[in-house]
Amino acid sequence: MQRRLGWGQDRISWKRGFGGMVSVERERHPSRRNPSLANSPMRRHPFAVSRPQSLLKILGLSFGLAVTVGNTIGAGILRTPGDIAALLPSPLLFVGIWVVGGLYALLGANALSELGTMLPRSGGQFIFARRAFGDYAGFFVGWNDWISTCASIAAISLVIGESAVHVMPLSSGAAAPIAMSVVVIFTILLLRGAKSGNIAQQITSLAKALALLALIAACFVFAGRAQVAPAPAASTVATTSMFVAFMLAAQAVIYTYDGWDGPIYFSEELDDPSRQIPRSMFYGLLTVAVIYLLTNIAFLTAVPTSALAGSQLAAGTVAQALFGGHGELLVRLVVIISLPSAVNANLLMSSRVLYSVSRDGLGIPMATRVNTGGTPTVALVSSALVAIAFLATGTFQTIIAIAAFFFVADYALSFVAVFVLRHREPDASRPYRAIGHPWTTGFVLLGSLAFLASAIVGDQRNSIYAVGIVVISYPVFRLTRPRPVPAPSDGPYL
């Protein structure tokens, strides 16, 4: 899941009242067929929750497209071009690497579309991990995904708050309260039901696309007035081999593309998941790729790569060259308009993860409550409260830095799951089968492993913390889950 962060963190990338509880499906509770099992360990497991009111199947392709675009495009596209220009000063390579990143993301969507249509349940990659590798893998992936997504909500909201402070005459101390207000506002909106979340996601994602297209248009229209500083005497490529430079650039671009898996967090809420999951990811990714390519071509039209190279905020460099002192204001407005869609998407996704983990007996029983509008209320409010706590303490940066290790590992596990389930369950229903498997799936798996290795080498301190979390997580899992949890039924939760 792409978690979109602020200027300096995008590579860590960046899916009414309470309703009542209703009966569980019979397959998960054999005691209904055999009363003698009523007191069995399986029946009396303390974490086996009763069947909650179901999520509603009211989302469609337009929502899938909106959540793909809204969750993928973040502040990364506004700053990453500066890093790419430093590594690949050739305009052809500078633009070409974004094509390569888009193709890689499409191959990833190709693999996850098979899993998403085979297991059409909301909750994200937790569903695949548990099915392929068991309860512990599901427990670990689910909780890590939930916590890191909550941290991403905090980071994205803070970027909005910081931009609002620059636009309005406010002190820098107002950024965090503004960010908290953004989280609260979207939480209240989403509590109204899945329809409200759907509408909000479509509107905010459209606003994001229009804001970026306006920035692109401005680059083309006003390119002739750009005032560019002289090119630096040396570039990063001068001391870096072309192969290493290309790999580093590819890593940055693929992180910027991350987030295309948003639709799988809502699989059972889609009208026709077997068709809408792959279409949402493919069409959404194509839309993102077009916007990314146009953005980079527009930047190069306005200024040369030498002016972008090393810029911490490429969009700011371009805007300043075009509009002088008003350039920063323009970029801040683009941020304020474009990032709310990511807040909305991450709140929706985090609530589905906690709900799904809890529904399968690996989380908090109370988090399975769903209101009449189809919102997992406790899971949503819990996600918002954790995000606000991260904002209050400022700890979200550390959480996300550590979670970057698992972000790549989760994708790798999902790609391995395609191979495992193909072998173990060859006759299972697969409305969509990954095109070109095993070659295409193997390619993105190898890429994920390479990025995982680079993440370990590039951030050894947080990687050590991540390994420590893995080590202690299993004893925690065993202590909190002393008995086997009920296996989910083979069909979707309907």
Side-chain angles (χ1 to χ4, degrees):
M1 162 196 72
Q2 171 114 84
R3 299 168 175 85
R4 296 296 154 207
L5 311 182
W7 308 136
Q9 298 135 355
D10 64 296
R11 285 192 183 182
I12 301 176
S13 242
W14 49 23
K15 251 197 233 8
R16 299 169 186 168
F18 295 153
M21 308 293 283
V22 298
S23 62
V24 297
E25 53 192 346
R26 294 181 183 275
E27 292 81 1
R28 298 180 65 185
H29 293 273
S31 61
R32 295 194 172 182
R33 297 191 300 268
N34 187 352
S36 65
L37 297 178
N39 294 320
S40 68
M42 181 69 75
R43 175 63 176 169
R44 296 179 62 83
H45 186 274
F47 292 95
V49 299
S50 58
R51 176 76 167 96
Q53 180 172 320
S54 299
L55 299 173
L56 304 180
K57 292 180 70 67
I58 58 175
L59 304 178
L61 178 61
S62 58
F63 172 82
L65 292 171
V67 80
T68 301
V69 173
N71 188 47
T72 303
I73 301 178
I77 187 58
L78 301 179
R79 75 164 302 277
T80 302
D83 299 330
I84 306 304
L87 292 164
L88 302 175
S90 165
L92 181 61
L93 291 176
F94 176 83
V95 175
I97 194 64
W98 291 93
V99 177
V100 172
L103 292 174
Y104 185 88
L106 284 169
L107 290 179
N110 179 51
L112 260 62
S113 289
E114 174 170 323
L115 296 176
T117 56
M118 175 186 175
L119 302 169
R121 299 174 185 165
S122 296
Q125 296 184 71
F126 152 76
I127 301 296
F128 315 145
R130 188 186 183 201
R131 179 64 166 256
F133 308 110
D135 290 343
Y136 169 63
F139 171 85
F140 188 84
V141 170
W143 279 102
N144 172 71
D145 194 3
W146 181 65
I147 292 172
S148 59
T149 304
C150 291
S152 296
I153 295 168
I156 299 164
S157 301
L158 187 60
V159 174
I160 296 174
E162 291 171 345
S163 296
V165 164
H166 283 81
V167 171
M168 298 180 286
L170 299 172
S171 65
S172 59
I178 292 174
M180 294 179 186
S181 300
V182 170
V183 175
V184 171
I185 290 170
F186 275 100
T187 301
I188 293 173
L189 175 65
L190 296 179
L191 283 172
R192 295 176 57 85
K195 287 185 178 180
S196 297
N198 181 14
I199 295 171
Q201 191 62 53
Q202 293 190 48
I203 292 175
T204 55
S205 294
L206 178 61
K208 168 179 288 186
L210 293 176
L212 289 173
L213 289 174
L215 178 62
I216 292 168
C219 291
F220 285 119
V221 172
F222 299 104
R225 59 191 286 184
Q227 301 295 321
V228 183
S235 68
T236 304
V237 178
T239 57
T240 305
S241 71
M242 181 55 65
F243 175 76
V244 173
F246 187 86
M247 292 304 296
L248 290 173
Q251 180 181 354
V253 168
I254 290 173
Y255 272 133
T256 307
Y257 268 105
D258 182 48
W260 45 263
D261 61 339
I264 65 174
Y265 287 79
F266 311 93
S267 298
E268 70 194 73
E269 298 168 80
L270 296 172
D271 296 329
D272 185 2
S274 63
R275 293 164 60 88
Q276 292 167 350
I277 288 175
R279 289 185 178 185
S280 294
M281 287 197 283
F282 289 142
Y283 295 162
L285 263 176
L286 289 173
T287 301
V288 171
V290 168
I291 292 176
Y292 280 1
L293 286 173
L294 287 175
T295 300
N296 284 280
I297 292 172
F299 285 177
L300 289 187
T301 301
V303 299
T305 54
S306 59
L308 290 175
S311 173
Q312 294 300 306
L313 181 58
T317 299
V318 172
Q320 187 173 10
L322 295 177
F323 305 106
H326 298 291
E328 182 181 1
L329 175 63
L330 173 64
V331 174
R332 295 291 181 180
L333 289 174
V334 170
V335 169
I336 293 173
I337 295 172
S338 63
L339 289 191
S341 64
V343 175
N344 192 76
N346 278 273
L347 276 169
L348 285 167
M349 291 160 58
S350 61
S351 65
R352 268 58 181 182
V353 174
L354 182 57
Y355 167 81
S356 183
V357 170
S358 301
R359 177 175 61 182
D360 276 9
L362 298 171
I364 305 169
M366 185 180 295
T368 60
R369 294 184 179 272
V370 179
N371 68 9
T372 56
T375 296
T377 50
V378 175
L380 175 62
V381 172
S382 298
S383 301
L385 290 176
V386 171
I388 290 172
F390 281 141
L391 284 167
T393 59
T395 56
F396 61 85
Q397 293 181 351
T398 301
I399 298 296
I400 296 173
I402 296 173
F405 177 91
F406 301 117
F407 142 68
V408 184
D410 289 350
Y411 278 119
L413 282 175
S414 292
F415 299 145
V416 172
V418 178
F419 288 94
V420 170
L421 295 176
R422 280 276 188 113
H423 174 74
R424 195 169 68 202
E425 304 179 33
D427 298 325
S429 175
R430 289 177 172 83
Y432 178 90
R433 298 179 70 89
I435 300 172
H437 179 85
W439 305 108
T440 53
T441 309
F443 177 76
V444 291
L445 173 59
L446 290 176
S448 296
L449 293 176
F451 291 137
L452 183 60
S454 67
I456 295 173
V457 173
D459 191 357
Q460 295 183 4
R461 178 183 177 184
N462 286 315
S463 296
I464 291 174
Y465 291 153
V467 172
I469 292 173
V470 173
V471 171
I472 66 173
S473 65
Y474 187 73
V476 171
F477 168 74
R478 298 303 304 172
L479 288 172
T480 57
R481 303 294 183 273
R483 303 185 182 93
V485 295
S489 66
D490 290 334
Y493 291 97
L494 298 175

